[in-house]
PDB file of all heavy atoms in Angstrom:
ATOM      1  N   PHE A 231      17.597  65.605   5.879  1.00 97.00           N
ATOM      2  CA  PHE A 231      18.536  64.585   6.246  1.00 97.00           C
ATOM      3  C   PHE A 231      19.071  63.873   5.011  1.00 97.00           C
ATOM      4  O   PHE A 231      18.492  63.961   3.912  1.00 97.00           O
ATOM      5  CB  PHE A 231      17.919  63.567   7.190  1.00 97.00           C
ATOM      6  CG  PHE A 231      16.832  62.638   6.542  1.00 97.00           C
ATOM      7  CD1 PHE A 231      17.217  61.491   5.879  1.00 97.00           C
ATOM      8  CD2 PHE A 231      15.509  62.924   6.698  1.00 97.00           C
ATOM      9  CE1 PHE A 231      16.278  60.649   5.305  1.00 97.00           C
ATOM     10  CE2 PHE A 231      14.563  62.093   6.123  1.00 97.00           C
ATOM     11  CZ  PHE A 231      14.954  60.972   5.423  1.00 97.00           C
ATOM     12  N   LEU A 232      20.207  63.238   5.181  1.00 97.00           N
ATOM     13  CA  LEU A 232      20.834  62.483   4.079  1.00 97.00           C
ATOM     14  C   LEU A 232      20.934  61.045   4.526  1.00 97.00           C
ATOM     15  O   LEU A 232      21.355  60.748   5.645  1.00 97.00           O
ATOM     16  CB  LEU A 232      22.193  63.031   3.726  1.00 97.00           C
ATOM     17  CG  LEU A 232      22.985  62.351   2.617  1.00 97.00           C
ATOM     18  CD1 LEU A 232      23.853  63.369   1.864  1.00 97.00           C
ATOM     19  CD2 LEU A 232      23.870  61.234   3.141  1.00 97.00           C
ATOM     20  N   GLN A 233      20.530  60.137   3.620  1.00 95.00           N
ATOM     21  CA  GLN A 233      20.647  58.696   3.912  1.00 95.00           C
ATOM     22  C   GLN A 233      21.584  58.043   2.871  1.00 95.00           C
ATOM     23  O   GLN A 233      21.373  58.195   1.648  1.00 95.00           O
ATOM     24  CB  GLN A 233      19.263  58.001   3.822  1.00 95.00           C
ATOM     25  CG  GLN A 233      19.346  56.511   4.188  1.00 95.00           C
ATOM     26  CD  GLN A 233      18.006  55.819   3.990  1.00 95.00           C
ATOM     27  OE1 GLN A 233      17.162  56.323   3.303  1.00 95.00           O
ATOM     28  NE2 GLN A 233      17.845  54.653   4.586  1.00 95.00           N
ATOM     29  N   ASP A 234      22.643  57.474   3.384  1.00 92.00           N
ATOM     30  CA  ASP A 234      23.641  56.828   2.478  1.00 92.00           C
ATOM     31  C   ASP A 234      23.510  55.308   2.560  1.00 92.00           C
ATOM     32  O   ASP A 234      23.540  54.730   3.653  1.00 92.00           O
ATOM     33  CB  ASP A 234      25.031  57.243   2.938  1.00 92.00           C
ATOM     34  CG  ASP A 234      26.127  56.798   1.940  1.00 92.00           C
ATOM     35  OD1 ASP A 234      26.626  55.670   2.135  1.00 92.00           O
ATOM     36  OD2 ASP A 234      26.431  57.528   1.018  1.00 92.00           O
ATOM     37  N   LEU A 235      23.283  54.734   1.388  1.00 85.00           N
ATOM     38  CA  LEU A 235      23.178  53.246   1.279  1.00 85.00           C
ATOM     39  C   LEU A 235      24.349  52.769   0.383  1.00 85.00           C
ATOM     40  O   LEU A 235      24.206  52.692  -0.780  1.00 85.00           O
ATOM     41  CB  LEU A 235      21.867  52.851   0.685  1.00 85.00           C
ATOM     42  CG  LEU A 235      20.604  53.186   1.547  1.00 85.00           C
ATOM     43  CD1 LEU A 235      19.331  52.897   0.790  1.00 85.00           C
ATOM     44  CD2 LEU A 235      20.642  52.462   2.857  1.00 85.00           C
ATOM     45  N   PRO A 236      25.483  52.449   0.999  1.00 76.00           N
ATOM     46  CA  PRO A 236      26.655  51.999   0.231  1.00 76.00           C
ATOM     47  C   PRO A 236      26.491  50.576  -0.262  1.00 76.00           C
ATOM     48  O   PRO A 236      25.467  49.902  -0.025  1.00 76.00           O
ATOM     49  CB  PRO A 236      27.801  52.119   1.207  1.00 76.00           C
ATOM     50  CG  PRO A 236      27.124  51.899   2.567  1.00 76.00           C
ATOM     51  CD  PRO A 236      25.720  52.471   2.418  1.00 76.00           C
ATOM     52  N   LYS A 237      27.505  50.089  -0.962  1.00 63.00           N
ATOM     53  CA  LYS A 237      27.437  48.746  -1.506  1.00 63.00           C
ATOM     54  C   LYS A 237      27.185  47.736  -0.426  1.00 63.00           C
ATOM     55  O   LYS A 237      27.664  47.838   0.702  1.00 63.00           O
ATOM     56  CB  LYS A 237      28.751  48.450  -2.226  1.00 63.00           C
ATOM     57  CG  LYS A 237      29.972  48.401  -1.354  1.00 63.00           C
ATOM     58  CD  LYS A 237      31.206  47.965  -2.122  1.00 63.00           C
ATOM     59  CE  LYS A 237      32.409  47.859  -1.190  1.00 63.00           C
ATOM     60  NZ  LYS A 237      33.619  47.378  -1.920  1.00 63.00           N
ATOM     61  N   GLY A 238      26.385  46.751  -0.765  1.00 55.00           N
ATOM     62  CA  GLY A 238      26.059  45.712   0.178  1.00 55.00           C
ATOM     63  C   GLY A 238      24.863  46.074   1.088  1.00 55.00           C
ATOM     64  O   GLY A 238      24.352  45.226   1.800  1.00 55.00           O
ATOM     65  N   ALA A 239      24.396  47.322   1.014  1.00 49.00           N
ATOM     66  CA  ALA A 239      23.311  47.791   1.874  1.00 49.00           C
ATOM     67  C   ALA A 239      21.950  47.506   1.214  1.00 49.00           C
ATOM     68  O   ALA A 239      20.959  47.645   1.864  1.00 49.00           O
ATOM     69  CB  ALA A 239      23.456  49.248   2.209  1.00 49.00           C
ATOM     70  N   ASP A 240      21.929  47.259  -0.102  1.00 49.00           N
ATOM     71  CA  ASP A 240      20.684  46.945  -0.730  1.00 49.00           C
ATOM     72  C   ASP A 240      20.851  45.641  -1.560  1.00 49.00           C
ATOM     73  O   ASP A 240      21.859  44.923  -1.451  1.00 49.00           O
ATOM     74  CB  ASP A 240      20.204  48.109  -1.612  1.00 49.00           C
ATOM     75  CG  ASP A 240      21.231  48.484  -2.663  1.00 49.00           C
ATOM     76  OD1 ASP A 240      22.188  47.730  -2.900  1.00 49.00           O
ATOM     77  OD2 ASP A 240      21.049  49.561  -3.244  1.00 49.00           O
ATOM     78  N   SER A 241      19.875  45.352  -2.414  1.00 48.00           N
ATOM     79  CA  SER A 241      19.894  44.082  -3.151  1.00 48.00           C
ATOM     80  C   SER A 241      20.995  44.008  -4.202  1.00 48.00           C
ATOM     81  O   SER A 241      21.343  42.914  -4.598  1.00 48.00           O
ATOM     82  CB  SER A 241      18.496  43.899  -3.824  1.00 48.00           C
ATOM     83  OG  SER A 241      18.233  44.933  -4.691  1.00 48.00           O
ATOM     84  N   THR A 242      21.451  45.131  -4.666  1.00 49.00           N
ATOM     85  CA  THR A 242      22.554  45.115  -5.662  1.00 49.00           C
ATOM     86  C   THR A 242      23.875  45.346  -4.927  1.00 49.00           C
ATOM     87  O   THR A 242      24.121  46.392  -4.359  1.00 49.00           O
ATOM     88  CB  THR A 242      22.320  46.250  -6.734  1.00 49.00           C
ATOM     89  OG1 THR A 242      21.023  46.036  -7.293  1.00 49.00           O
ATOM     90  CG2 THR A 242      23.339  46.119  -7.810  1.00 49.00           C
ATOM     91  N   ALA A 243      24.759  44.388  -5.032  1.00 53.00           N
ATOM     92  CA  ALA A 243      25.972  44.395  -4.203  1.00 53.00           C
ATOM     93  C   ALA A 243      26.785  45.626  -4.442  1.00 53.00           C
ATOM     94  O   ALA A 243      27.327  46.179  -3.479  1.00 53.00           O
ATOM     95  CB  ALA A 243      26.774  43.136  -4.467  1.00 53.00           C
ATOM     96  N   GLN A 244      26.957  46.056  -5.661  1.00 75.00           N
ATOM     97  CA  GLN A 244      27.848  47.210  -5.958  1.00 75.00           C
ATOM     98  C   GLN A 244      27.103  48.531  -6.105  1.00 75.00           C
ATOM     99  O   GLN A 244      27.732  49.539  -6.382  1.00 75.00           O
ATOM    100  CB  GLN A 244      28.643  46.905  -7.217  1.00 75.00           C
ATOM    101  CG  GLN A 244      29.681  45.795  -7.060  1.00 75.00           C
ATOM    102  CD  GLN A 244      30.734  46.107  -6.012  1.00 75.00           C
ATOM    103  OE1 GLN A 244      30.745  45.447  -4.975  1.00 75.00           O
ATOM    104  NE2 GLN A 244      31.573  47.085  -6.270  1.00 75.00           N
ATOM    105  N   ASN A 245      25.826  48.524  -5.966  1.00 86.00           N
ATOM    106  CA  ASN A 245      25.029  49.739  -6.137  1.00 86.00           C
ATOM    107  C   ASN A 245      25.201  50.644  -4.941  1.00 86.00           C
ATOM    108  O   ASN A 245      25.120  50.168  -3.798  1.00 86.00           O
ATOM    109  CB  ASN A 245      23.570  49.395  -6.372  1.00 86.00           C
ATOM    110  CG  ASN A 245      22.768  50.619  -6.716  1.00 86.00           C
ATOM    111  OD1 ASN A 245      23.010  51.219  -7.790  1.00 86.00           O
ATOM    112  ND2 ASN A 245      21.872  51.004  -5.884  1.00 86.00           N
ATOM    113  N   HIS A 246      25.472  51.916  -5.150  1.00 92.00           N
ATOM    114  CA  HIS A 246      25.605  52.868  -4.074  1.00 92.00           C
ATOM    115  C   HIS A 246      24.552  53.963  -4.274  1.00 92.00           C
ATOM    116  O   HIS A 246      24.516  54.612  -5.297  1.00 92.00           O
ATOM    117  CB  HIS A 246      26.989  53.509  -4.066  1.00 92.00           C
ATOM    118  CG  HIS A 246      27.324  54.220  -2.788  1.00 92.00           C
ATOM    119  ND1 HIS A 246      28.462  53.978  -2.053  1.00 92.00           N
ATOM    120  CD2 HIS A 246      26.658  55.192  -2.102  1.00 92.00           C
ATOM    121  CE1 HIS A 246      28.475  54.734  -0.966  1.00 92.00           C
ATOM    122  NE2 HIS A 246      27.418  55.512  -1.004  1.00 92.00           N
ATOM    123  N   THR A 247      23.682  54.157  -3.290  1.00 94.00           N
ATOM    124  CA  THR A 247      22.581  55.056  -3.368  1.00 94.00           C
ATOM    125  C   THR A 247      22.630  56.090  -2.272  1.00 94.00           C
ATOM    126  O   THR A 247      22.851  55.773  -1.091  1.00 94.00           O
ATOM    127  CB  THR A 247      21.236  54.328  -3.304  1.00 94.00           C
ATOM    128  OG1 THR A 247      21.174  53.290  -4.342  1.00 94.00           O
ATOM    129  CG2 THR A 247      20.073  55.263  -3.524  1.00 94.00           C
ATOM    130  N   VAL A 248      22.321  57.328  -2.663  1.00 95.00           N
ATOM    131  CA  VAL A 248      22.243  58.432  -1.674  1.00 95.00           C
ATOM    132  C   VAL A 248      20.877  59.095  -1.829  1.00 95.00           C
ATOM    133  O   VAL A 248      20.429  59.395  -2.922  1.00 95.00           O
ATOM    134  CB  VAL A 248      23.340  59.483  -1.924  1.00 95.00           C
ATOM    135  CG1 VAL A 248      23.109  60.707  -1.047  1.00 95.00           C
ATOM    136  CG2 VAL A 248      24.738  58.908  -1.613  1.00 95.00           C
ATOM    137  N   SER A 249      20.160  59.244  -0.690  1.00 96.00           N
ATOM    138  CA  SER A 249      18.894  59.954  -0.671  1.00 96.00           C
ATOM    139  C   SER A 249      19.005  61.180   0.165  1.00 96.00           C
ATOM    140  O   SER A 249      19.504  61.113   1.296  1.00 96.00           O
ATOM    141  CB  SER A 249      17.809  59.030  -0.161  1.00 96.00           C
ATOM    142  OG  SER A 249      17.525  57.942  -1.036  1.00 96.00           O
ATOM    143  N   VAL A 250      18.500  62.294  -0.350  1.00 97.00           N
ATOM    144  CA  VAL A 250      18.390  63.531   0.406  1.00 97.00           C
ATOM    145  C   VAL A 250      16.899  63.894   0.514  1.00 97.00           C
ATOM    146  O   VAL A 250      16.252  63.991  -0.548  1.00 97.00           O
ATOM    147  CB  VAL A 250      19.193  64.655  -0.220  1.00 97.00           C
ATOM    148  CG1 VAL A 250      18.957  66.001   0.542  1.00 97.00           C
ATOM    149  CG2 VAL A 250      20.672  64.362  -0.276  1.00 97.00           C
TER     150      VAL A 250
END
Side-chain angles (χ1 to χ4, degrees):
F231 70 84
L232 180 148
Q233 183 185 19
D234 187 270
L235 295 174
K237 64 176 183 177
D240 58 13
S241 58
T242 306
Q244 292 298 112
N245 188 65
H246 195 127
T247 304
V248 172
S249 293
V250 175

